[in-house]
Amino acid sequence: MIKRILPILTAVLMLPVLWSCSEDNPEPPVPHGPMEAVERTVLMYAVASNSLSYNLDLDMKEIQQVAASLDLKKSRLLIYSVQLDPKTGETMQPKLQRLVKMSYGYDFQTIKEYDDQNRSTDTERIAAVIADVKYFSPSDKYGLILWSHADAWLPSPTWTATDAAQYAFGQDKDGKESHYCEMPDLAATIPAGMFDFIWFDSCYMANVETLYQFRGKADYLVGSVTELSEYGMPYDVTLPELLKKDVDLVKTAALEYNTYITQTKLPFTVSVLDLNKVENLADVTARCYSDFNYLDGTTGLQCYSRRVNPALYDFGQYTREIVMQNHPEASDELLADFQKALEDVVVYKATTDRSFTGQNMNRANYSGLSCHRLSNQTELKGEKFYRALDWYSRVYGDVQP
């Protein structure tokens, strides 16, 4: 009996101590207005109501693991997320959360919940979340991570109504129906001048068409020319850098690449692209594509995508082939100007020996940007969509079939 009474008595005596500790470490209150200004806020906009829902859970665990090393008095991470309920498969309520220190450790505190009047891929919802971030977290600088499925410049299945392998940006599932954001609509929704970097933790977004569509929206865009593994960005490695006021994106991308080649051993590509230099690249590329004739075939072109039509090819190699075919007499001068403009835009690029699909990556033909090979099959929906992009109008002009 005494053996039973002593543990109970000890527990009762400890209650005031535990209560006192709880009072000494109250949970941070949920903000209902602007929080204290910080040097940098990073918004992760994660559309994970799809096959990547569990992967977002893993990424958020990585963030929690590294949180103790972050200076959350000077910087702030906000995550907008929508996921699938692991039990029912139904879309959960979207929410905006902040990374914060609780009494029990670092966790994500919900600041705001959103209704289902807009999908997370609707431009109205994207704009509303960005406005909320600016309201709740006044900052000297902002960065944006776009997290989801993506498929370069290509139209979504709802635009083509056929190819289920195309994602545009995001895939917000609602039962059997999926919703997407077309790349030009996404670019138009991002406010100019708010973010100094936009980082796509998504497949295929280091393409020249997307790069040009996002001109004026940020200083730098970071992405991959290829498909990425589900592992995605190693946030325990990159986040301490991305939350710095004066972030070094080249260093951060190099750390990410090094993680892939030394730890995960998975195929990977990454490019850091200077959006302020893209107009000059467009000028030179337009000269390269003048008096345009369609490229004869695709033999030898380094392909980065699974699909064949339309496929994603290396932008540098494709443009060199166009110049050699259409301007052989002026190729040396044109190619020198093009290479200089390309190097000004692609400030960092890295690739493993193989791509995600197992293709050998020829570094001599790896420019750090992909592109579309223009086709005269203008009846194809991909070709119709492509001809509405800003890049097409800027560098091809009115090319006749």
Side-chain angles (χ1 to χ4, degrees):
M1 179 64 72
I2 294 176
K3 289 182 179 180
R4 294 182 180 179
I5 292 175
L6 283 176
I8 296 173
L9 182 60
T10 302
V12 172
L13 292 173
M14 283 294 294
L15 282 175
V17 177
L18 294 173
W19 181 261
S20 176
C21 290
S22 177
E23 287 184 331
D24 291 341
N25 297 282
E27 304 297 6
V30 176
H32 297 289
M35 293 177 280
E36 185 177 348
V38 291
E39 293 180 348
R40 175 175 292 281
T41 294
V42 171
L43 166 63
M44 179 195 296
Y45 193 94
V47 184
S49 47
N50 49 53
S51 61
L52 299 177
S53 188
Y54 177 66
N55 298 101
L56 181 59
D57 290 334
L58 297 179
D59 282 350
M60 294 179 80
K61 288 179 181 178
E62 284 182 348
I63 292 170
Q64 286 177 290
Q65 290 168 3
V66 77
S69 68
L70 306 175
D71 188 350
L72 296 181
K73 292 183 179 180
K74 292 184 178 181
S75 60
R76 186 173 291 125
L77 174 67
L78 299 183
I79 300 178
Y80 172 87
S81 64
V82 59
Q83 294 179 268
L84 297 180
D85 188 307
K87 294 182 180 179
T88 66
E90 296 180 354
T91 304
M92 299 170 67
Q93 187 169 14
K95 54 194 174 185
L96 181 65
Q97 297 177 295
R98 64 167 174 163
L99 177 65
V100 66
K101 186 175 182 180
M102 310 292 277
S103 62
Y104 53 85
Y106 288 89
D107 208 344
F108 301 96
Q109 181 187 63
T110 299
I111 298 175
K112 181 176 180 178
E113 293 182 330
Y114 295 82
D115 57 38
D116 58 0
Q117 292 183 357
N118 293 112
R119 307 304 307 182
S120 293
T121 48
D122 290 349
T123 56
E124 294 85 357
R125 172 56 53 80
I126 297 170
V129 171
I130 292 174
D132 286 340
V133 168
K134 195 169 185 179
Y135 170 73
F136 281 113
S137 187
S139 301
D140 296 334
K141 295 183 178 181
Y142 293 90
L144 175 63
I145 299 171
L146 292 168
W147 190 111
S148 192
H149 285 300
D151 203 23
W153 60 268
L154 277 89
S156 69
T158 52
W159 197 88
T160 64
T162 54
D163 189 356
Q166 296 176 2
Y167 290 108
F169 172 77
Q171 181 191 24
D172 189 4
K173 294 187 71 174
D174 178 17
K176 294 183 179 180
E177 187 177 1
S178 290
H179 305 264
Y180 308 89
C181 186
E182 308 297 347
M183 183 274 287
D185 296 334
L186 176 63
T189 305
I190 306 298
M194 176 174 172
F195 301 104
D196 56 1
F197 72 82
I198 299 172
W199 193 304
F200 279 98
D201 192 6
S202 309
C203 301
Y204 297 127
M205 295 309 284
N207 61 87
V208 72
E209 293 87 358
T210 294
L211 181 72
Y212 192 70
Q213 204 79 30
F214 275 78
R215 68 196 184 280
K217 299 297 183 174
D219 294 323
Y220 293 94
L221 185 147
V222 185
S224 171
V225 300
T226 57
E227 191 171 350
L228 294 175
S229 70
E230 291 181 337
Y231 180 69
M233 188 191 296
Y235 287 91
D236 53 334
V237 174
T238 59
L239 196 58
E241 299 298 324
L242 292 177
L243 283 175
K244 291 179 179 178
K245 181 179 181 180
D246 297 315
V247 56
D248 185 336
L249 294 172
V250 170
K251 176 184 177 181
T252 309
L255 287 170
E256 183 180 27
Y257 175 69
N258 186 64
T259 300
Y260 269 86
I261 63 175
T262 61
Q263 297 182 33
T264 69
K265 308 294 184 180
L266 293 170
F268 182 67
T269 60
V270 64
S271 302
V272 180
L273 309 166
D274 189 340
L275 283 163
N276 296 313
K277 303 292 181 62
V278 72
E279 282 290 4
N280 183 56
L281 178 63
D283 285 339
V284 178
T285 304
R287 288 167 50 203
C288 292
Y289 294 175
S290 63
D291 300 322
F292 185 81
N293 289 306
Y294 293 97
L295 192 63
D296 295 331
T298 60
T299 302
L301 286 182
Q302 183 151 268
C303 182
Y304 296 130
S305 57
R306 296 188 187 212
R307 85 193 68 77
V308 177
N309 192 11
L312 301 174
Y313 296 102
D314 188 83
F315 170 60
Q317 185 188 19
Y318 169 73
T319 302
R320 289 193 296 271
E321 293 294 326
I322 290 292
V323 170
M324 294 300 293
Q325 174 183 281
N326 295 348
H327 302 284
E329 73 290 344
S331 61
D332 289 346
E333 180 182 354
L334 266 179
L335 289 177
D337 290 346
F338 172 74
Q339 188 62 33
K340 175 63 168 58
L342 181 62
E343 290 174 356
D344 286 344
V345 167
V346 184
V347 296
Y348 176 82
K349 60 180 179 177
T351 180
T352 49
D353 293 334
R354 290 179 178 272
S355 70
F356 180 78
T357 57
Q359 172 189 328
N360 289 325
M361 296 289 284
N362 182 348
R363 285 181 171 81
N365 290 326
Y366 173 64
S367 68
L369 278 170
S370 72
C371 72
H372 173 57
R373 181 187 72 89
L374 195 66
S375 168
N376 59 1
Q377 296 178 290
T378 55
E379 73 281 1
L380 297 177
K381 290 184 178 180
E383 292 295 327
K384 291 179 181 178
F385 188 88
Y386 190 82
R387 282 163 167 76
L389 298 177
D390 289 354
W391 179 253
Y392 171 81
S393 300
R394 183 70 166 78
V395 303
Y396 286 104
D398 187 17
V399 174
Q400 299 300 315

